[in-house]
Amino acid sequence: MKKAFITGINGQDGSYLTEHLISMGYEVGGLVRRSSVAENQTYRINHLEKDIKTFYGDLIDKSSIDKALRAFKPDYIFNLAAQSHVRLSFDMPAFTAQVNSFGALNVFESVKEICPEARVYQASSSEMFGSSVDPDNFQRETTAMHPVSPYGCSKLYAYSIARNYRKSYGLFISNGILFNHESPRRGKNFVTAKVVQGALDIKYGRTDKLEMGNLESFRDWGHSSDYTKAMIKLLNHSEPEDIVISTGKAHSVKELCKVVFNYLGLEYKDHVVINKKYFRPEELPYLQGDSKKGRELLSWEPEYTFKTLLIDMINEFEKEYL
Ligand code: NAP
Ligand code: G4F
């Protein structure tokens, strides 16, 4: 039985990844950090409690990573823990770098010292591309990286040090460069979940307006369940690789609003109002990923489309209103 250890196990991706790994026969453990609201913190993985082993820890505290790795002895490590909100990274740039950059470095150092044979997945991000787009309007593994947020910069450091440790010390570390992925378990302050919840609030008469930021940016949105399957395939590939995972289709935030509101029988223009507080100091205007390399190497294809992803979110969120 292979052992997989997940930092960020109680996050959106951590919960789907755990489900997939358990269904494939892996033994799963993970790191959970201390919270003053512990009763809410693990809601995404409470249904898996009896099948997993969790350890208290924090990426900033290397000793906690060391202890967990010594006790669990993993074959696979998925480093998913992060301050993952881009706009908030402008409010907390140093904290974002501590967790996302030096936290990842802590994980790689711990692996080097304690379990150098383990295979490591680093949760890299399309946000690292920033303002850079190839002439054909796609970003891919070879596209230059010019991040435009403290989050993007912090992830670029982790991506780079992962490659450096792979070369320098022969560690098996792969970067999954994942484009935006969502689900019914998405945090409610990310745009898809915010729009779905806001439209439902309007449909059920709880409010009449939804305050939004920039509607003109484009994202390539997939489903977390599909993307976490790609993470497992990446670590089971014979060699460590850096791989883009995306749907290959870009949609604007405006289009997202239109699809969600229309599905619920509403007109978004009647309800969406712009509030500058949701704008970023610098916006990333366009993301569209070319995942040809990953699809061929890993035999991976997404099952969800933009529309079926949003319907899955609407249907799950709506249960709370019925
Ligand atoms: P998420 O829902 O925000 O989950 C992040 C996880 O990290 C949570 O479990 C969180 O715990 C934990 N965490 C935060 N700071 C920590 C710390 N200092 N020490 C230990 N754990 C900490 O994010 P996600 O959507 O699942 O994304 C997973 C990873 O993929 C992240 O690294 C993210 O940056 C990256 N990524 C995400 C996307 C996307 O579109 N979802 C795309 C590309 C890359 P708490 O709940 O206790 O805060
Ligand atoms: O949903 P978002 O906050 O996601 P963002 O910034 O693209 O970051 C997500 O994807 C990255 C991969 O590319 C991950 F690495 C990262 O961890 C995270 O999961 O915003 C998407 C777009 C942006 O252009 C934003 O300006 O939606 C726009 N937007 C417009 N109004 C809004 C809002 N975003 C949020 N969160 N809230 C709004 O009211």
Side-chain angles (χ1 to χ4, degrees):
M1 200 184 210
K2 291 276 188 198
K3 289 178 158 192
F5 184 81
I6 305 169
T7 72
I9 191 168
N10 57 317
Q12 169 187 249
D13 288 1
S15 64
Y16 284 104
L17 179 62
T18 301
E19 286 173 5
H20 296 325
L21 287 166
I22 289 172
S23 73
M24 293 167 76
Y26 288 75
E27 189 178 334
V28 181
L31 203 69
V32 176
R33 63 183 175 151
R34 189 262 166 185
S35 164
S36 63
V37 282
E39 62 278 18
N40 298 338
Q41 194 193 13
T42 53
Y43 79 93
R44 295 184 180 105
I45 54 168
N46 285 343
H47 63 296
L48 303 165
E49 191 182 16
K50 64 174 186 355
D51 297 315
I52 61 177
K53 191 164 172 39
T54 56
F55 300 81
Y56 269 111
D58 195 301
L59 284 205
I60 290 173
D61 181 348
K62 182 174 174 297
S63 74
S64 69
I65 304 169
D66 288 353
K67 275 183 216 128
L69 295 187
R70 282 206 174 89
F72 192 69
K73 299 185 176 41
D75 304 292
Y76 296 83
I77 295 159
F78 295 87
N79 184 36
L80 308 187
Q83 191 302 89
S84 71
H85 201 282
V86 173
R87 196 191 61 74
L88 293 180
S89 77
F90 287 95
D91 298 341
M92 301 184 289
F95 175 74
T96 302
Q98 285 290 340
V99 177
N100 300 2
S101 305
F102 297 122
L105 177 61
N106 281 341
V107 171
F108 305 150
E109 270 294 312
S110 296
V111 169
K112 178 158 74 72
E113 290 162 19
I114 294 164
C115 46
E117 299 304 318
R119 294 183 169 204
V120 184
Y121 174 91
Q122 169 55 26
S124 288
S125 166
S126 49
E127 186 72 19
M128 300 186 308
F129 293 117
S131 55
S132 179
V133 191
D134 282 354
D136 64 356
N137 282 337
F138 283 90
Q139 288 105 349
R140 47 180 62 84
E141 292 82 2
T142 49
T143 306
M145 293 179 179
H146 299 301
V148 294
S149 65
Y151 171 84
C153 295
S154 72
K155 284 286 182 178
L156 183 53
Y157 173 85
Y159 166 85
S160 307
I161 201 76
R163 288 161 61 96
N164 174 245
Y165 270 44
R166 184 162 79 206
K167 273 248 174 190
S168 304
Y169 305 117
L171 297 183
F172 191 116
I173 310 181
S174 292
N175 282 292
I177 308 170
L178 271 49
F179 281 63
N180 298 50
H181 46 280
E182 321 290 313
S183 75
R185 299 180 196 169
R186 187 57 142 156
K188 299 286 196 319
N189 56 356
F190 292 91
V191 76
T192 51
K194 179 173 168 178
V195 170
V196 170
Q197 187 174 45
L200 283 165
D201 279 349
I202 291 165
K203 178 179 170 184
Y204 285 94
R206 295 185 186 178
T207 181
D208 190 43
K209 295 286 173 228
L210 175 61
E211 289 191 354
M212 297 287 302
N214 180 17
L215 302 186
E216 307 301 332
S217 59
F218 284 76
R219 291 292 182 273
D220 176 337
W221 281 291
H223 198 299
S224 172
S225 175
D226 283 339
Y227 286 32
T228 46
K229 287 178 186 162
M231 293 179 186
I232 301 171
K233 283 176 177 274
L234 181 51
L235 280 202
N236 279 310
H237 186 64
S238 53
E239 303 294 329
E241 291 279 356
D242 302 326
I243 295 277
V244 160
I245 294 295
S246 65
T247 71
K249 295 193 170 57
H251 303 271
S252 67
V253 176
K254 192 181 281 174
E255 199 180 339
L256 163 73
C257 294
K258 206 181 276 181
V259 170
V260 171
F261 276 75
N262 279 356
Y263 187 81
L264 293 170
L266 300 164
E267 175 54 57
Y268 88 93
K269 284 183 184 157
D270 296 339
H271 304 283
V272 170
V273 290
I274 303 302
N275 186 333
K276 291 277 178 206
K277 91 173 182 195
Y278 296 111
F279 280 64
R280 288 122 200 242
E282 188 175 0
E283 176 64 277
L284 193 167
Y286 194 88
L287 282 176
Q288 180 172 238
D290 172 6
S291 54
K292 187 167 181 277
K293 178 181 171 186
R295 289 178 193 227
E296 287 179 2
L297 213 60
L298 309 177
S299 303
W300 173 86
E301 288 290 333
E303 287 174 22
Y304 285 86
T305 62
F306 177 60
K307 187 88 190 274
T308 59
L309 159 71
L310 295 175
I311 292 173
D312 186 34
M313 294 179 73
I314 293 168
N315 289 342
E316 280 303 312
F317 282 24
E318 195 164 25
K319 288 178 184 163
E320 287 171 25
Y321 295 77
L322 300 173

